[in-house]
Amino acid sequence: MERIDTLPDWSSLALLDDEDVPLLGTALLIARDEYPDLDPQSYAAWLDEVAAGLRDEIDAARDDADRLATINRRLYVELGFDGNHEDYYDPRNSYLNDVVDRRLGNPISLAVVQMALAERLGIGLQGVSFPGHFLVRLPVDGGLLVMDPFNKGRPLEVDELRERAREHLDGHVPDDSDLHQILAPATPRAVAVRMLRNLKSLYAEAQDFDRVARSADRLLKLDPSLDAERRDRGLAYLRIGYLKGARSDLEWYLREHPDGEDAEPVRAALIEASVGPARLN
């Protein structure tokens, strides 16, 4: 079980295997960028307390599906967690401290809470980077129980999963093999990457380029192979006037991708970064 004595260091995450990235700790690390005074131990202690309060019911349950139903009842009914349907694009839905404090989140942040609690109770709940909304899965009796954390952990039938996927596959209805691949478990690194990309997209939409740059930088700390994040960090640096950083990132990107589809606009941005007055160096 993942303990939170100290949060991981951003510089160490890229060195870990994908499965060894501490998901809860990384989610809280992401939140600490926005909330520097965040106390990660208090959120780990809260999860421990909720898990302890469920132990007797979990021990008395028939199987893992029944155990997970017990967890969902505590989270979604008794504690009142829910998807933020009224303001889905509020960045607070992505910060784990806000999710726990407000009992509101987006699919992936609610899944992280659900998975962290399940882990404390010995249940192997896994995340699924499903197209559109993030889901969770639990292997049961040779099959899979797939649930929607954004909608109070509601189980999803195969036909609904196919329809949900179809909306993001240009109308293609996935067959059994396709669906099996789509429902593959996401590694902790992949989950953290998706959390950060959600935030980056929200901040880009709001033209909050300081936070776009921060999000892209954290993505690169988490996975240095994400070349597009180097490009996007450079473009965000340009927007906030950090021209030295913009030139470094954009030059690197063009060296690695000289013939990419985005090469011309990146070159134009590099020219702008090279001739414009620096406000921050």
Side-chain angles (χ1 to χ4, degrees):
M1 180 177 69
E2 183 184 339
R3 309 305 306 179
I4 304 292
D5 297 318
T6 60
L7 290 182
D9 184 88
W10 280 113
S11 63
S12 69
L13 291 173
L15 304 176
L16 300 175
D17 290 339
D18 290 353
E19 293 289 352
D20 292 335
V21 171
L23 180 54
L24 178 62
T26 304
L28 289 167
L29 190 62
I30 292 168
R32 195 171 65 177
D33 275 339
E34 189 70 14
Y35 300 94
D37 297 327
L38 179 149
D39 176 16
Q41 287 83 4
S42 67
Y43 294 95
W46 175 82
L47 284 163
D48 291 342
E49 181 181 355
V50 175
L54 283 172
R55 177 59 64 187
D56 289 344
E57 290 181 72
I58 293 296
D59 290 344
R62 296 185 306 271
D63 53 30
D64 274 354
D66 195 30
R67 294 181 186 97
L68 189 55
T70 299
I71 289 173
N72 287 346
R73 183 168 61 252
R74 179 61 55 89
L75 276 179
Y76 294 111
V77 178
E78 297 169 12
L79 293 176
F81 279 81
D82 200 0
N84 192 346
H85 298 266
E86 297 299 320
D87 195 358
Y88 185 85
Y89 298 105
D90 186 337
R92 292 178 295 176
N93 297 332
S94 290
Y95 292 121
L96 210 67
N97 58 320
D98 272 325
V99 174
V100 172
D101 293 346
R102 301 168 67 229
R103 304 294 198 260
L104 285 173
N106 60 22
I108 196 166
S109 62
L110 290 167
V112 170
V113 173
Q114 193 181 19
M115 287 188 288
L117 183 55
E119 182 187 21
R120 282 162 167 71
L121 292 164
I123 301 167
L125 191 62
Q126 301 166 316
V128 177
S129 284
F130 202 80
H133 283 187
F134 196 85
L135 303 175
V136 294
R137 51 171 264 172
L138 180 70
V140 290
D141 298 327
L144 282 178
L145 177 60
V146 181
M147 291 150 289
D148 182 353
F150 191 66
N151 288 289
K152 298 186 179 295
R154 182 173 68 84
L156 301 174
E157 299 294 337
V158 171
D159 287 346
E160 183 174 355
L161 289 168
R162 291 191 203 281
E163 182 59 25
R164 285 190 179 203
R166 183 191 66 78
E167 296 173 4
H168 300 274
L169 298 174
D170 295 326
H172 169 69
V173 179
D175 59 21
D176 288 347
S177 177
D178 293 335
L179 193 59
H180 180 75
Q181 289 185 322
I182 292 170
L183 292 173
T187 67
R189 189 187 308 278
V191 177
V193 164
R194 185 158 169 168
M195 292 182 79
L196 280 165
R197 280 182 165 159
N198 284 347
L199 278 168
K200 185 177 135 218
S201 176
L202 294 175
Y203 289 133
E205 181 69 22
Q207 299 188 41
D208 185 344
F209 294 112
D210 284 286
R211 287 182 170 86
V212 172
R214 183 182 73 192
S215 299
D217 180 73
R218 296 319 195 191
L219 280 158
L220 287 165
K221 292 288 197 305
L222 193 58
D223 186 349
S225 72
L226 300 174
D227 289 3
E229 302 304 335
R230 184 77 63 96
R231 175 201 64 202
D232 290 352
R233 186 178 66 179
L235 293 172
Y237 281 162
L238 176 60
R239 295 292 170 258
I240 64 177
Y242 178 29
L243 303 187
K244 179 180 178 181
R247 288 193 295 270
S248 176
D249 279 347
L250 297 176
E251 286 172 355
W252 181 94
Y253 186 79
L254 285 171
R255 283 197 303 271
E256 296 297 317
H257 304 277
D259 300 316
E261 293 182 359
D262 55 358
E264 286 309 310
V266 172
R267 285 193 184 94
L270 178 57
I271 291 170
E272 183 180 348
S274 300
V275 301
R279 296 194 297 273
L280 176 63
N281 279 290

